[in-house]
Amino acid sequence: MGKKVLIIDDEEDIRNFLIELFKDNGFETMTASDGIEGLKLLKDEKPDLITLDLQMPNDTGTAFYRKMHRDEQFNKIPIIVISGVAGKHLAIKKPFAIFDKPIDATALLETAQNAVDENS
Amino acid sequence: MRKARLDKSRRLVDTIYRTLFQQVPFNVAVIDRDHNVVNANDNFTKRFGDWRGKKCYNVYKKLNQPCDECPSAKVFEDGNVVVADDVGVDQNGKETHYVGHVAPIRMEEGGPVEYVLEMTRTVTGTKSWQQEYQILFDRVPCYITVIDREFRILRANEAFRQTFGDKQNQHCYEVYKRRKTKCPNCPAAKTFKDGLVHHSQQVGTKKGGEKAHYVLSTSPLARGDKEVIHVIEISTDITETKKLEKEVVDAERLAAVGQTVAGLAHSIKNMLMGLEGGMYITKKALVRDDKEMLSQGWDMLERNFDKTTSLVKDFLSFSKGRLPELVMVNPNSLVNEIIGLYQDIAKSIGVILVADLDPKIKDVPLDPKGIHTCLTNLVSNAIDACQMSDKKDCHVCIKTKDTKNTLTFTVVDEGCGIDYDIKSRIFTTFFTTKGGKGTGLGLLTTRKIVQEHGGKITVVSKKDEDTKFTMAFPKKRLQTLFKKDSAE
């Protein structure tokens, strides 16, 4: 069984890209197009890693993080921020890593692997 | 008897003379040709001290030789009364200012002037007040000039002289603005004419050549009710304030540019990542020779290419600062074009697009391309709003209306509505509720085009209720723009 990664991004193409990328490297994937959907999946699926976009309609990545962090069950799950906004390093308190868009696929996969290894 | 009466009357004259000599509120002294003080009243003695056997210059000024400009000498010479204004030293050694008359005394009518009568009044108090006034005039942080009806500068204060140079007797317009002729709308000319204070903002040139911005008020200097003889011009320099104002505007502009660039960069980064994904999947498909996957990757590439194109287009049409190119068109035909363009797409997703056109509408000057862009933006928003609601058979209606003064286009949809918070942000740069699908420039561009036509765009909407966007164009304004446009 591969590790589960929850991909949260409002752009369908970006979600599809990340699904393929993670699947090709032995991860199991699930996606959400905003923070609300993300929270639901978090509770149902208990992922090992989350990639989080910051600027999304409905609920922002920051709001998602705040809600998730309040729950002790989930606040240890590593988060990788993937966003094109300026000031993204300030949006979330303790992300495992931050990636600018477009991403460096090799580096992302390496980081994702480290994140799940460290946490298990 | 007769002699006694004569004596009495002479005694009376003598008494009057002595009383007058002593009681007149002046310092009175009689001087002979050799500057000797031969007589003086008590006032004079109190002021200047003992005078007996002394020369006038010694008594008045404690000097040992006659003054350079001696008013008495002039009177001895031509026999006319002279008005004098001088500074002396009183018996306590203090400076004392006095003004007065110097009159000739002839012992016989038509004879030579044998003595002069100096009647002076101490004005030391007035003088010090004048000095204070002079200091105020010079040191006040304003430029002050007094000009005559020829616009020549009679007096200028220190601040003015330092900034514009010592330019007495030159025309004010030459000195303030380096003009050869009177300024148009000259506020001083108005004050000369109506005797009232006038205020204005002016730009002049300092003696070093730099620009000076100042707020000017012109006040009349008149004697009684007579016409204004002089005008006093008082200006406050606001060059520094103007500079600060410009800095603020520049900073705001820079901030706006920064914000725009950041928004643009964010959109572009998302599209780049979409392209990156498309490339990844296409490459994988090629390796696996998987046709289905290949078409998925290709679609991603195409979609993100289209998005980039439309962002650049929207951005250009938004940033273009051009005037609309007006031609006479029928507003209804513009609407029909849009209906033709969107009807099929709308139908395919269950949205009913209709037009409600004013049949009496006449041709008006509009920029057809611009209005086309506006209607496209509004209609595509309306269709999106319908898609976001769960309602069945959602209608979108484009209306035209021609009233006496105004031409209006209205786009109404029965979609999801706009809540208050979002409504306040729909006309801001890069604001979108459509995630990656929107550029956040559509309504901003629409408003810009409408405003360039001299019109106004308004929105009426509530969450889950109908949304109505109205573009209203005052017809007079369109005609004015049209005339201007055709004239160029």
Side-chain angles (χ1 to χ4, degrees):
Chain A
M1 265 289 273
K3 296 281 183 188
K4 281 191 213 167
V5 53
L6 167 60
I7 297 161
I8 308 176
D9 200 305
D10 61 315
E11 295 259 0
E12 195 189 351
D13 286 341
I14 292 177
R15 288 198 302 272
N16 287 340
F17 171 35
L18 292 175
I19 289 171
E20 291 300 323
L21 189 68
F22 280 112
K23 266 210 279 192
D24 290 348
N25 289 278
F27 285 86
E28 221 179 288
T29 59
M30 60 207 70
T31 58
S33 64
D34 59 41
I36 298 164
E37 254 181 72
L39 271 180
K40 202 174 164 297
L41 277 170
L42 182 70
K43 282 169 192 158
D44 294 349
E45 301 281 342
K46 300 190 178 57
D48 303 294
L49 172 70
I50 298 167
T51 76
L52 182 63
D53 184 20
L54 292 178
Q55 217 174 54
M56 291 177 290
N58 300 329
D59 216 357
T60 65
T62 319
F64 166 84
Y65 175 78
R66 237 182 278 130
K67 285 172 197 162
M68 165 192 153
H69 209 75
R70 270 188 233 132
D71 198 325
E72 281 198 8
Q73 268 193 78
F74 307 122
N75 62 13
K76 297 273 173 340
I77 302 174
I79 288 187
I80 297 177
V81 172
I82 302 179
S83 169
V85 295
K88 50 188 165 293
H89 58 288
L90 302 171
I92 280 173
K93 229 181 181 174
K94 279 183 212 155
F96 188 81
I98 301 168
F99 279 84
D100 196 8
K101 287 178 182 176
I103 50 148
D104 175 343
T106 322
L108 175 67
L109 285 168
E110 214 172 278
T111 309
Q113 198 58 56
N114 289 341
V116 290
D117 289 349
E118 236 172 71
N119 215 38
S120 56
Chain B
M1 269 301 278
R2 236 180 106 194
K3 192 169 180 284
R5 257 207 326 264
L6 203 70
D7 278 355
K8 197 179 175 193
S9 102
R10 189 167 283 159
R11 273 207 315 277
L12 180 64
V13 171
D14 269 6
T15 311
I16 291 174
Y17 155 74
R18 269 199 307 275
T19 312
L20 190 66
F21 187 73
Q22 288 303 341
Q23 299 303 320
V24 71
F26 286 102
N27 311 314
V28 184
V30 180
I31 318 284
D32 71 9
R33 272 186 184 269
D34 298 320
H35 305 289
N36 296 309
V37 181
V38 298
N39 203 350
N41 69 355
D42 290 349
N43 280 335
F44 183 91
T45 315
K46 257 188 240 161
R47 172 71 50 184
F48 294 103
D50 190 27
W51 46 269
R52 269 162 249 273
K54 290 184 179 172
K55 301 281 187 189
C56 62
Y57 44 82
N58 184 253
V59 180
Y60 275 110
K61 302 196 182 182
K62 315 292 182 267
L63 294 174
N64 293 322
Q65 55 186 28
C67 313
D68 291 340
E69 271 180 50
C70 175
S72 304
K74 246 184 125 217
V75 178
F76 279 117
E77 199 178 298
D78 61 20
N80 293 325
V81 173
V82 165
V83 177
D85 169 357
D86 217 334
V87 189
V89 180
D90 70 10
Q91 63 166 332
N92 300 317
K94 269 195 176 163
E95 200 172 77
T96 176
H97 294 259
Y98 50 88
V99 290
H101 286 70
V102 184
I105 299 174
R106 293 184 170 89
M107 297 305 281
E108 282 162 42
E109 214 176 295
V113 178
E114 289 179 43
Y115 302 97
V116 292
L117 183 67
E118 298 185 339
M119 295 164 287
T120 56
R121 188 166 206 170
T122 313
V123 291
T124 310
T126 322
K127 271 282 167 192
S128 74
W129 183 83
Q130 270 181 353
Q131 269 169 354
E132 275 171 30
Y133 157 79
Q134 185 65 39
I135 290 169
L136 184 71
F137 178 76
D138 274 333
R139 300 290 153 78
V140 71
C142 291
Y143 309 130
I144 307 177
T145 48
V146 179
I147 59 163
D148 64 12
R149 296 192 76 94
E150 304 282 294
F151 300 95
R152 283 183 193 280
I153 296 174
L154 302 179
R155 288 187 67 193
N157 74 337
E158 202 175 285
F160 178 86
R161 293 194 303 269
Q162 273 174 6
T163 309
F164 292 95
D166 203 348
K167 301 283 173 65
Q168 220 183 340
N169 272 327
Q170 292 195 27
H171 289 116
C172 61
Y173 45 83
E174 287 173 290
V175 182
Y176 277 103
K177 304 206 180 186
R178 306 201 176 173
R179 292 172 57 92
K180 292 251 180 299
T181 52
K182 225 179 78 192
C183 313
N185 283 324
C186 169
K190 284 184 202 158
T191 300
F192 275 126
K193 204 172 163 195
D194 61 18
L196 300 174
V197 177
H198 289 275
H199 303 279
S200 57
Q201 256 201 49
Q202 307 281 340
V203 185
T205 308
K206 296 182 183 180
K207 62 180 175 187
E210 323 88 276
K211 283 227 164 340
H213 293 262
Y214 51 92
V215 179
L216 167 69
S217 67
T218 52
S219 313
L221 284 178
R223 305 263 185 275
D225 292 338
K226 287 179 190 160
E227 64 168 2
V228 180
I229 310 164
H230 299 139
V231 160
I232 179 159
E233 301 178 314
I234 305 177
S235 337
T236 311
D237 195 306
I238 53 162
T239 313
E240 280 303 309
T241 320
K242 282 268 164 195
K243 225 159 90 194
L244 284 174
E245 253 174 37
K246 197 181 166 291
E247 276 168 23
V248 169
V249 170
D250 284 351
E252 275 171 4
R253 191 174 297 147
L254 262 177
V257 169
Q259 235 172 16
T260 308
V261 169
L264 203 57
H266 177 243
S267 304
I268 291 171
K269 280 176 178 176
N270 270 325
M271 292 167 197
L272 281 174
M273 187 143 165
L275 289 169
E276 189 186 17
M279 276 153 51
Y280 179 85
I281 291 170
T282 308
K283 195 171 168 190
K284 191 167 132 188
L286 287 172
V287 172
R288 294 193 191 170
D289 200 17
D290 180 338
K291 276 220 170 129
E292 203 181 315
M293 189 181 268
L294 185 62
S295 101
Q296 189 199 341
W298 182 253
D299 284 351
M300 276 171 87
L301 289 174
E302 218 167 47
R303 240 188 333 267
N304 286 284
F305 173 79
D306 286 347
K307 272 192 211 166
T308 315
T309 312
S310 71
L311 173 72
V312 170
K313 252 196 206 158
D314 279 3
F315 190 70
L316 285 182
S317 77
F318 164 66
S319 59
K320 225 191 281 174
R322 65 181 182 91
L323 283 172
E325 287 167 22
L326 300 178
V327 290
M328 294 302 288
V329 284
N330 190 302
N332 288 349
S333 62
L334 286 174
V335 173
N336 283 328
E337 262 177 50
I338 303 295
I339 299 273
L341 219 67
Y342 278 90
Q343 207 153 37
D344 290 346
I345 307 170
K347 214 184 212 170
S348 71
I349 51 172
V351 175
I352 301 153
L353 181 61
V354 291
D356 174 7
L357 304 176
D358 184 347
K360 292 183 306 237
I361 214 158
K362 293 194 188 83
D363 286 9
V364 279
L366 290 170
D367 178 2
K369 268 191 203 160
I371 301 300
H372 191 277
T373 307
C374 293
L375 287 172
T376 308
N377 284 332
L378 294 181
V379 169
S380 60
N381 280 350
I383 293 174
D384 287 341
C386 286
Q387 264 196 296
M388 283 188 230
S389 81
D390 305 324
K391 288 173 205 158
K392 266 191 176 175
D393 298 332
C394 210
H395 280 72
V396 171
C397 179
I398 316 177
K399 289 182 194 172
T400 56
K401 185 99 193 129
D402 193 4
T403 62
K404 198 178 152 218
N405 300 319
T406 321
L407 166 76
T408 49
F409 293 90
T410 311
V411 178
V412 189
D413 69 70
E414 302 172 336
C416 59
I418 310 171
D419 72 21
Y420 182 80
D421 177 45
I422 289 177
K423 206 159 70 182
S424 64
R425 291 156 68 197
I426 54 175
F427 289 112
T428 52
T429 338
F430 298 112
F431 176 76
T432 180
T433 56
K434 302 178 193 170
K437 277 194 211 141
T439 56
L441 288 168
L443 281 178
L444 202 64
T445 310
T446 305
R447 186 178 65 174
K448 188 168 170 263
I449 294 170
V450 173
Q451 284 173 346
E452 282 166 353
H453 278 80
K456 229 177 165 178
I457 182 165
T458 49
V459 54
V460 179
S461 181
K462 270 188 192 154
K463 197 165 169 57
D464 301 321
E465 280 176 28
D466 291 2
T467 300
K468 185 163 101 177
F469 277 91
T470 308
M471 303 189 282
F473 302 97
K475 291 201 285 194
K476 251 193 201 157
R477 185 92 186 100
L478 290 176
Q479 289 296 348
T480 319
L481 286 169
F482 187 50
K483 274 179 208 150
K484 225 172 153 187
D485 213 15
S486 341
E488 273 164 14

